[in-house]
């Protein structure tokens, strides 16, 4: 059944994110870029200070990989990269996430696969390889499904991955597509039991009549295997598409957010969740905004924020009431009436929201800017960074090709002093909060030589173009850095460009 919605002050609302209801996806997605200036070298993000550590092609074969197979796969990938100029839709990376130590890096793609990379251990002979990441495990997380009651296809695309802190030898992570969240256990096995009494060495049951002695099973060494097993499946709780998952600081609960609701889950309970936010109106014709992202506070388990397509952020406290429809704090920047245009409502939609590691600040992304908010000041952001203001004159064409609905993410570095976000033409931007300097870098095949130093890129808006500049009319909007991640404690960044994963490291690191 198709639902009708109000025009929301738009003359034409065909492409507005709220009008994706037939597909049960209500939320919009936004994007970035910008003009450069060398960043301070003191932060480890200075001009020319980033080098390519490795460039990896997400493997298309799905299997439980042993360490020996990892080596072979890595060789195949690196040689294949040189001539690989295309990617299927299923190979496109849809999320990137470091674990809490930074030793592992997980990617999810549109084909429902999760690929985990492990950091190369430092050796006396190969000190420079310390920052490299190699394939550790690959597994199929989600499969395509079909909801027969609603005649709705459910994509296998991985929307988000979130790691849990490591408590033992195994690793745990959450992955989600549009409808179902799964908890995965990734563990190593280098021994296998032998000498069963009731089974032979191949696992077949033995004839009880032939068993004349009692044997004690023993563990024998074997080739190292990395196994991924689903431990929990959290399903059937979302009517609309899940856009965010966030692990709580108590590590007992997590939340999942779709376009109209946010649910709170306990890791041990899969058959029920608690609805903590519900903004669905009684009459869907009165719908004016949707939830675009949500995240728990890094230290206070009772606090979380969620952003909306209207450019607002709400801070909620679960101690105040069971249902957090009434926010504790409301963050919104008043719009300048002189800048009001046909596209104002679309470009003000927030595509990503992130707490700083300290928990004092919130960072948000809309289409043209990155903003930093102080939790103690609700009326305006304390910092605003223009990501690609030169696209303001291109909004009409970006609307026509749907790029204006791209949803780009933003990340903090480990000390909250530098922020990073993606852009078009495979550009990504860094902003130093201390010096207020910024830099534009490019993840491209031209820069994919080992240990290649990244050179800052500049975008020419008009007039004479210098030799090292690129014209705004020459930008390739089909190449975009949607997903980025920053190592939790070191200057190592991961940048996803279609089916390629670029990992850069500060050269003084």
């Amino acid at each position: 059944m198709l639902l009708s919605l109000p025009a929301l002050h738009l003359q034409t609302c065909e492409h507005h994110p709220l009008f994706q209801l037939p597909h049960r996806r209500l939320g919009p997605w936004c994007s970035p870029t910008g003009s450069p200036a060398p960043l301070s070298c003191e932060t480890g993000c200075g001009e020319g200070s980033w080098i390519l550590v490795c460039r990896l092609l997400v493997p298309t074969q799905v299997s439980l990989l042993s360490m020996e197979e990892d080596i072979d796969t890595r060789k195949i990938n690196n040689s294949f990269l040189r001539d690989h100029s295309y990617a299927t839709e299923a190979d496109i990376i849809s999320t990137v996430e470091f674990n809490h130590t930074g030793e592992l890096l997980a990617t999810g793609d549109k084909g429902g696969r999760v690929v985990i990379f492990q950091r190369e251990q430092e050796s006396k002979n190969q000190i420079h390889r310390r920052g490299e990441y190699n394939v550790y495990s690959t597994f199929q997380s989600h499969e395509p499904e079909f909801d027969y009651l609603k005649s709705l296809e459910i994509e296998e695309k991985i929307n988000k991955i979130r790691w849990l802190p490591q408590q033992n030898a195994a690793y745990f992570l959450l992955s989600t597509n549009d409808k179902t969240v799964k908890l995965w256990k990734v563990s190593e096995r280098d021994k296998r039991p032998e000498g069963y009494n009731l089974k032979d060495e191949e696992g077949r049951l033995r004839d009880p009549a032939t068993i004349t002695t009692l044997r004690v099973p023993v563990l024998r060494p074997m080739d190292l295997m990395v196994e991924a097993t689903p431990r929990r499946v959290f399903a059937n709780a979302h009517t609309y598409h899940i856009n965010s998952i966030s692990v709580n600081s108590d590590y007992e609960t997590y939340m999942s957010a779709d376009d109209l609701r946010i649910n709170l889950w306990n890791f041990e309970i899969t058959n029920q969740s608690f609805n903590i936010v519900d903004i669905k109106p009684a009459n869907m014709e009165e719908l004016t905004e949707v939830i675009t992202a949500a995240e728990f506070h890094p230290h206070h388990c009772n606090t979380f924020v969620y952003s909306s397509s209207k450019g607002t952020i709400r801070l909620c406290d679960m101690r105040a009431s069971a249902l957090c429809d009434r926010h504790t704090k409301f963050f919104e920047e008043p719009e300048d009436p002189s800048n009001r245009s046909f596209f104002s409502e679309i470009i003000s939609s927030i595509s990503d929201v992130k707490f700083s590691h300290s928990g004092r600040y919130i960072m948000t992304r809309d289409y043209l800017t990155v903003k930093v908010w102080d939790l103690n000041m609700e009326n305006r952001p304390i910092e605003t960074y223009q990501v690609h203001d030169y696209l303001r004159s291109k909004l009409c064409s970006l609307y026509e090709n749907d790029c204006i609905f791209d949803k780009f993410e933003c990340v903090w570095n480990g000390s909250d002093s530098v922020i990073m976000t993606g852009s078009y033409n495979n550009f990504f931007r860094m902003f130093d909060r201390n010096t207020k300097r910024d830099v534009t870098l490019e993840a491209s095949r031209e820069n994919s030589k080992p240990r290649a130093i990244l050179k800052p890129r500049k975008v020419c808006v008009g007039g004479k173009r210098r030799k090292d500049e690129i014209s705004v009319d020459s930008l390739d909007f089909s190449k975009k850095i949607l997903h980025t991640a920053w190592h939790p404690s070191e200057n190592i960044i991961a940048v996803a460009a279609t089916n390629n994963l670029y990992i850069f490291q500060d050269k003084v690191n």
Side-chain angles (χ1 to χ4, degrees), residues 209-326:
T210 63
I211 302 175
T212 57
T213 59
L214 180 64
R215 297 192 294 179
V216 178
V218 294
L219 292 175
R220 301 288 187 196
M222 59 173 284
D223 292 336
L224 185 63
M225 292 287 294
V226 180
E227 297 178 322
T229 52
R231 300 306 301 268
R232 303 280 190 278
V233 177
F234 306 90
N236 305 319
H238 286 276
T239 305
Y240 303 98
H241 290 193
I242 298 173
N243 55 48
S244 302
I245 51 175
S246 180
V247 179
N248 202 347
S249 58
D250 61 11
Y251 304 127
E252 294 181 3
T253 58
Y254 77 93
M255 68 177 174
S256 56
D258 65 20
D259 302 301
L260 295 178
R261 297 185 179 98
I262 300 176
N263 293 332
L264 181 68
W265 299 83
N266 187 294
F267 280 109
E268 301 300 323
I269 303 172
T270 61
N271 60 354
Q272 61 182 359
S273 63
F274 190 81
N275 180 236
I276 54 176
V277 173
D278 187 350
I279 66 169
K280 183 179 179 180
N283 182 0
M284 286 295 284
E285 291 186 359
E286 299 173 1
L287 180 66
T288 59
E289 64 179 333
V290 296
I291 299 169
T292 56
E295 185 175 68
F296 269 119
H297 191 282
H299 309 304
H300 305 312
C301 62
N302 54 281
T303 307
F304 67 94
V305 296
Y306 69 92
S307 58
S308 82
S309 57
K310 275 192 168 182
T312 61
I313 310 107
R314 291 172 174 85
L315 179 75
C316 300
D317 191 335
M318 291 189 290
R319 296 172 301 182
S321 65
L323 191 61
C324 299
D325 286 350
R326 292 184 179 179

Side-chain angles (χ1 to χ4, degrees), residues 259-465:
D259 302 301
L260 295 178
R261 297 185 179 98
I262 300 176
N263 293 332
L264 181 68
W265 299 83
N266 187 294
F267 280 109
E268 301 300 323
I269 303 172
T270 61
N271 60 354
Q272 61 182 359
S273 63
F274 190 81
N275 180 236
I276 54 176
V277 173
D278 187 350
I279 66 169
K280 183 179 179 180
N283 182 0
M284 286 295 284
E285 291 186 359
E286 299 173 1
L287 180 66
T288 59
E289 64 179 333
V290 296
I291 299 169
T292 56
E295 185 175 68
F296 269 119
H297 191 282
H299 309 304
H300 305 312
C301 62
N302 54 281
T303 307
F304 67 94
V305 296
Y306 69 92
S307 58
S308 82
S309 57
K310 275 192 168 182
T312 61
I313 310 107
R314 291 172 174 85
L315 179 75
C316 300
D317 191 335
M318 291 189 290
R319 296 172 301 182
S321 65
L323 191 61
C324 299
D325 286 350
R326 292 184 179 179
H327 49 267
T328 304
K329 292 190 175 183
F330 183 77
F331 301 86
E332 183 179 24
E333 184 176 27
E335 184 184 7
D336 185 354
S338 63
N339 291 333
R340 178 73 183 176
S341 71
F342 172 80
F343 304 104
S344 295
E345 194 165 314
I346 302 175
I347 63 175
S348 65
S349 174
I350 294 174
S351 61
D352 195 15
V353 60
K354 292 276 174 55
F355 271 108
S356 63
H357 295 85
S358 66
R360 171 70 186 272
Y361 304 102
I362 302 172
M363 173 171 57
T364 60
R365 254 313 307 262
D366 56 47
Y367 193 69
L368 296 176
T369 66
V370 174
K371 295 173 182 174
V372 177
W373 303 76
D374 191 316
L375 288 186
N376 297 325
M377 189 166 70
E378 304 172 51
N379 60 339
R380 61 183 177 85
I382 59 171
E383 300 164 22
T384 299
Y385 301 98
Q386 297 295 331
V387 181
H388 48 199
D389 197 51
Y390 50 75
L391 293 182
R392 198 175 290 275
S393 62
K394 301 273 181 191
L395 292 179
C396 187
S397 58
L398 290 167
Y399 177 81
E400 290 175 354
N401 62 18
D402 281 350
C403 285
I404 201 169
F405 302 114
D406 286 332
K407 188 169 186 178
F408 287 71
E409 298 172 1
C410 52
V411 292
W412 302 87
N413 73 336
S415 61
D416 299 333
S417 60
V418 182
I419 56 183
M420 176 175 62
T421 190
S423 184
Y424 295 106
N425 208 68
N426 278 358
F427 288 165
F428 59 98
R429 303 268 285 140
M430 290 184 179
F431 302 92
D432 189 318
R433 298 181 59 210
N434 297 324
T435 64
K436 305 303 178 186
R437 295 181 179 177
D438 56 85
V439 66
T440 301
L441 301 172
E442 182 181 7
S444 66
R445 288 185 170 83
E446 290 71 27
N447 297 335
S448 60
K449 294 180 181 179
R451 320 305 292 180
I453 298 178
L454 288 186
K455 296 181 180 179
R457 301 302 306 268
K458 297 183 179 180
V459 178
C460 173
V461 180
K464 258 192 172 183
R465 182 171 65 89

